[in-house]
Amino acid sequence: LGMAEVAEFEPDEAFDVDAVAVEGGLIRPIRRPRSRVFLWRDPNARHDIVVLLGEAQPPAGKYEFCQRVIDVARRAGASPALVIYYFATKDQLLTEALRFSEEAFYRTVTAELETLRTARERLELLVRTTCVPQGEGELPGAWGLWFDLWAQAFRHPEVAKDRIELDQRWRDTIAQVVRDGQARDEIGDVDADA
């Protein structure tokens, strides 16, 4: 296609070393997957194409990874772009959609928690944000994603791991509010992590 390579991401930015090789009695890290970005310029100056060729998908941080591809496209002077990210499975797409939704949720909740003075107000906020009534005809939003995730987690171990991670963040948020309340003598002696 006559594309030019415009960037290569360092593998240590997206992939951990999760295995080693033993060669000649020496332990060496294995080669991590390469991720290279290519640009094709439209001779009619309408639609440039940016292609990421990755030997593997990063295990986490896909949003940040996509943002890096967009940044490379901008620096290369590509025309305004629609970035399409390929997920190997629908389960990965579901999990990443829920992660994106949860990031927005936690940004909002964290900002609101910081404005409240007492543990009681903070706990009430957490209850209120999880029990928001849905208006007639509205899409279920994050709850619909959670229902799908719970159903998929029952059958797929990888999705189950993602569910546990996402659930733990909520538990950690509640536990932190309880610990803060205990530190200010607003909440008695209870195990915040139970």
Side-chain angles (χ1 to χ4, degrees):
L1 291 175
M3 301 185 105
E5 184 174 339
V6 293
E8 180 167 356
F9 299 147
E10 290 297 321
D12 59 342
E13 295 173 1
F15 298 95
D16 290 330
V17 175
D18 57 3
V20 295
V22 178
E23 298 172 10
L26 297 174
I27 297 174
R28 300 179 190 272
I30 61 167
R31 185 180 77 76
R32 288 177 279 177
R34 292 177 73 188
S35 299
R36 300 180 306 157
V37 181
F38 294 84
L39 172 65
W40 176 80
R41 291 213 182 269
D42 180 354
N44 298 318
R46 292 185 321 171
H47 302 289
D48 298 334
I49 298 175
V50 177
V51 175
L52 169 72
L53 292 180
E55 294 176 339
Q57 287 190 14
K62 292 177 181 73
Y63 176 80
E64 290 82 8
F65 195 76
C66 285
Q67 189 60 53
R68 292 196 57 225
V69 173
I70 293 169
D71 291 343
V72 166
R74 278 194 192 118
R75 284 195 310 272
S79 58
L82 166 66
V83 174
I84 299 172
Y85 189 86
Y86 170 76
F87 293 91
T89 67
K90 288 184 207 173
D91 296 335
Q92 284 180 339
L93 176 58
L94 169 64
T95 301
E96 287 305 312
L98 190 51
R99 278 186 210 285
F100 182 79
S101 172
E102 290 293 284
E103 283 302 319
F105 171 79
Y106 282 108
R107 275 193 305 276
T108 301
V109 166
T110 300
E112 289 184 38
L113 285 172
E114 290 173 0
T115 67
L116 302 174
R117 294 176 180 248
T118 68
R120 179 185 178 127
E121 291 172 327
R122 290 177 178 153
L123 289 171
E124 286 174 352
L125 171 70
L126 295 180
V127 170
R128 216 174 32 254
T129 59
T130 58
C131 300
V132 176
Q134 182 176 313
E136 188 174 324
E138 287 183 13
L139 296 173
W143 280 112
L145 294 173
W146 272 104
F147 292 143
D148 286 344
L149 185 76
W150 290 325
Q152 294 301 319
F154 182 72
R155 290 184 291 282
H156 304 288
E158 284 300 312
V159 178
K161 283 180 12 185
D162 292 331
R163 183 205 57 81
I164 290 167
E165 176 191 326
L166 290 164
D167 279 347
Q168 189 59 49
R169 186 169 182 187
W170 180 241
R171 288 184 180 97
D172 291 345
T173 300
I174 295 168
Q176 188 59 53
V177 168
V178 171
R179 281 192 289 275
D180 291 346
Q182 288 172 325
R184 289 190 304 272
D185 292 324
E186 296 176 67
I187 297 178
D189 187 25
V190 296
D191 182 357
D193 296 305

